[in-house]
Every structure is written in structure tokens, then in C-alpha cells.
Amino acid sequence: MNCKTCEFDLAQSAKFCSNCGSKIVNDRLSLKGTWEEFIGPFFSWDNNFWRTFLGMFTNPKAVLEAYISGARKKYFQPFSYIVLYATLAVFFYKFFPMQSVIDYSEGITDGMNASNSTQNVPQLDMSKFMDSMMNYYNFIVLSLLPLYALTSYLIFSKRGHNFFEHLVFNSYIQTNLGYISLILQVIMVTLLEMDFINYAYFYFVIFIVFTLYTLKKLYLLNFKQTLFSGIKYLVLFVLLYFGIIVVLSVIFGIIYALTVLK
């Protein structure tokens, strides 16, 4: 018998190829086979996904250092991990749209009309904006990764990890935070009908606590170091975030002005 992947000669009883490591599959696909091959591993508690997700709570240092140290198969690969989350989030917001945000459409319009007495502002429809944003949710999540990585890299630059390693760290951190957010939104916003603004404040606290907890475990920080690093993280992240917003606003402003002049 030959391996179907690399054509290496194998014994008839072989389950895996001793040359390339591929699993030997002789059976045709069936309902049971499809479940075992594609769906079953995802729901198994002993797979890379759950090992990674739960490991980020119980032993984040092991998860974060595994990939950069060369143990690439023990945990879910960082960038596949965050792409999977971003994809699931798109479907999540289709089933659980943020109605509380959409409900602010009328309030925003009334506020703009109150400040502009010369003419009425047309009714804003935030639902269209939210739909557009959710359609590109995965790109939004991925685009913010370098910002998170740069923030933690600048704060912990003396700890020996480069920017790209911090990119890996933040892929795991932000993905776990994303899954936490999805669960909390169902419970607090959908079921308990919490105001979305209040939920946003609550989630911001979760974001800071989990990020600092993970970095504390990674760098073995004491309480004083963790608190000081947290303050620096907040200040630096806000400065970088608003700096990017200003630069993008100027760029879009110039593009808009050139378009109008034409």
C-alpha cells in the first residue's frame, strides 16, 4: 500500500504515513465519517481550539509562548484563530443584530437638528451603517491587531520579544476577548436588555482586566508592575488610537475636498 499523499510504501495495517505523517483513509465519506473528520474535532474538548481557548484563562503563558517557540501544532495557530472568530462574528451579528445601537438613529438625528436651526437634517439610518460595518467585521478586527501589538511591544520592549511576536500574543488575546464579548452580548444585551452604552463600559473593563492578566502571567509581573503597566497601556493605546483617527480623518478630508473641487 502506498501513501496517497507522498506515495511512500506502507504496510497494509498502517494508520499513519511514517514518511509524511498523513492519516491513512480508505473508507468513502459518509455521514459518520463527515462528522468525525470535519465537525467532531471542533466540538471535542481535546482539540486545538478548546485547548487554546481554555488555556488562555488557565495558563496563558504556555499558549502565548508555544507558537513562537516552535510548538506550532499544540495550540490553534494565532492568525487562523482570529480569522475564525471574525468569520463567526459576522454570522453572530446577523442573528443578534445590535438593535440598541440602531435605536440611537432617531436620537442622533434629533440632536443634530437641535444644534442646526437653519435646516432639518435628514433622518439617519444607523442600521445601514451597522450592516456595512458587520459585513467587513473581519477586516476591522484584523486592522486593529498591529495597533494592539505596537502598544504592548512599546511597553514591554525590554522583555526580549519583537513586534511580530507581540502580534502573535495579541492575536490570541483579542480573539479570546472577542469570544467573551459574543457570549456577554447574548446574556447582557439580548437577554437582560442592558443598554448597549452601559455594556460597552462594562466590556471595556473586561478588556483591560483580561489583557493585563494575560501580560502579567506572560512576564511574571507583580501587582505594582501590573498596575503601572496597565496605566501605560491605557495612555499609549488611546494616544496611538486617536493619532491614527486624526491621520485617517485628514487623509479622507483631503480626498473629499479634491473630489468636491472636481
Side-chain angles (χ1 to χ4, degrees), residues 186-244:
V186 172
I187 297 173
M188 304 183 73
V189 178
T190 305
L191 298 179
L192 300 180
E193 299 182 349
M194 175 185 282
D195 182 86
F196 191 83
I197 296 299
N198 292 330
Y199 165 76
Y201 291 137
F202 176 78
Y203 174 73
F204 181 72
V205 174
I206 299 295
F207 168 85
I208 295 299
V209 170
F210 183 74
T211 301
L212 292 181
Y213 163 75
T214 307
L215 295 174
K216 176 183 184 299
K217 293 293 186 180
L218 175 64
Y219 292 117
L220 305 176
L221 306 176
N222 58 36
F223 178 78
K224 183 178 179 180
Q225 291 172 321
T226 304
L227 183 62
F228 186 58
S229 298
I231 295 172
K232 290 196 296 183
Y233 187 96
L234 275 174
V235 173
L236 184 57
F237 179 79
V238 170
L239 289 176
L240 289 173
Y241 181 81
F242 282 104
I244 292 174

Side-chain angles (χ1 to χ4, degrees), residues 17 33 41 84 97 104 114 124-125 148 174 197 205 212 220 242 258:
C17 176
L84 174 63
Y104 289 123
L124 296 177
D125 186 1
Y148 293 118
Q174 298 308 317
I197 296 299
V205 174
L212 292 181
L220 305 176
F242 282 104
L258 293 174

Side-chain angles (χ1 to χ4, degrees), residues 150-165:
L150 181 60
T151 303
S152 60
Y153 168 70
L154 291 175
I155 294 174
F156 298 102
S157 57
K158 296 181 180 180
R159 296 282 179 161
H161 293 118
N162 61 38
F163 171 78
F164 298 99
E165 289 169 333

Side-chain angles (χ1 to χ4, degrees), residues 85-95 134-138:
Y85 156 69
T87 304
L88 291 176
V90 173
F91 292 100
F92 173 87
Y93 287 113
K94 294 294 183 182
F95 290 101
M134 289 304 106
N135 287 334
Y136 297 98
Y137 188 83
N138 49 351

Side-chain angles (χ1 to χ4, degrees), residues 171-187:
S171 296
Y172 285 121
I173 294 172
Q174 298 308 317
T175 302
N176 260 52
L177 280 168
Y179 285 119
I180 293 172
S181 174
L182 297 184
I183 296 170
L184 289 178
Q185 282 185 55
V186 172
I187 297 173

Side-chain angles (χ1 to χ4, degrees), residues 15-210:
K15 300 296 183 183
F16 294 89
C17 176
S18 57
N19 183 52
C20 68
S22 298
K23 182 179 179 181
I24 305 303
V25 179
N26 294 315
D27 299 329
R28 295 183 61 184
L29 278 178
S30 61
L31 179 60
K32 179 182 177 182
T34 302
W35 174 269
E36 291 177 349
E37 193 71 25
F38 300 106
I39 304 174
F42 182 79
F43 289 98
S44 169
W45 288 99
D46 188 29
N47 71 0
N48 288 356
F49 175 83
W50 291 112
R51 189 182 298 122
T52 303
F53 179 76
L54 297 176
M56 284 297 294
F57 296 104
T58 58
N59 192 4
K61 181 178 176 65
V63 178
L64 297 180
E65 291 186 335
Y67 187 82
I68 65 172
S69 66
R72 302 292 169 86
K73 293 187 177 182
K74 186 175 182 180
Y75 298 101
F76 217 91
Q77 291 197 4
F79 303 112
S80 298
Y81 194 48
I82 198 168
V83 168
L84 174 63
Y85 156 69
T87 304
L88 291 176
V90 173
F91 292 100
F92 173 87
Y93 287 113
K94 294 294 183 182
F95 290 101
F96 300 99
M98 293 189 287
Q99 296 294 340
S100 53
V101 176
I102 297 172
D103 289 343
Y104 289 123
S105 301
E106 185 175 350
I108 294 174
T109 304
D110 293 341
M112 294 179 66
N113 281 324
S115 61
N116 185 8
S117 57
T118 58
Q119 57 182 357
N120 289 330
V121 177
Q123 175 69 44
L124 296 177
D125 186 1
M126 291 294 289
S127 61
K128 294 181 179 179
F129 169 76
M130 292 307 302
D131 287 341
S132 298
M133 190 178 78
M134 289 304 106
N135 287 334
Y136 297 98
Y137 188 83
N138 49 351
F139 297 105
I140 295 173
V141 172
L142 293 173
S143 65
L144 287 176
L145 264 185
L147 180 61
Y148 293 118
L150 181 60
T151 303
S152 60
Y153 168 70
L154 291 175
I155 294 174
F156 298 102
S157 57
K158 296 181 180 180
R159 296 282 179 161
H161 293 118
N162 61 38
F163 171 78
F164 298 99
E165 289 169 333
H166 278 273
L167 203 60
V168 169
F169 298 158
N170 283 276
S171 296
Y172 285 121
I173 294 172
Q174 298 308 317
T175 302
N176 260 52
L177 280 168
Y179 285 119
I180 293 172
S181 174
L182 297 184
I183 296 170
L184 289 178
Q185 282 185 55
V186 172
I187 297 173
M188 304 183 73
V189 178
T190 305
L191 298 179
L192 300 180
E193 299 182 349
M194 175 185 282
D195 182 86
F196 191 83
I197 296 299
N198 292 330
Y199 165 76
Y201 291 137
F202 176 78
Y203 174 73
F204 181 72
V205 174
I206 299 295
F207 168 85
I208 295 299
V209 170
F210 183 74

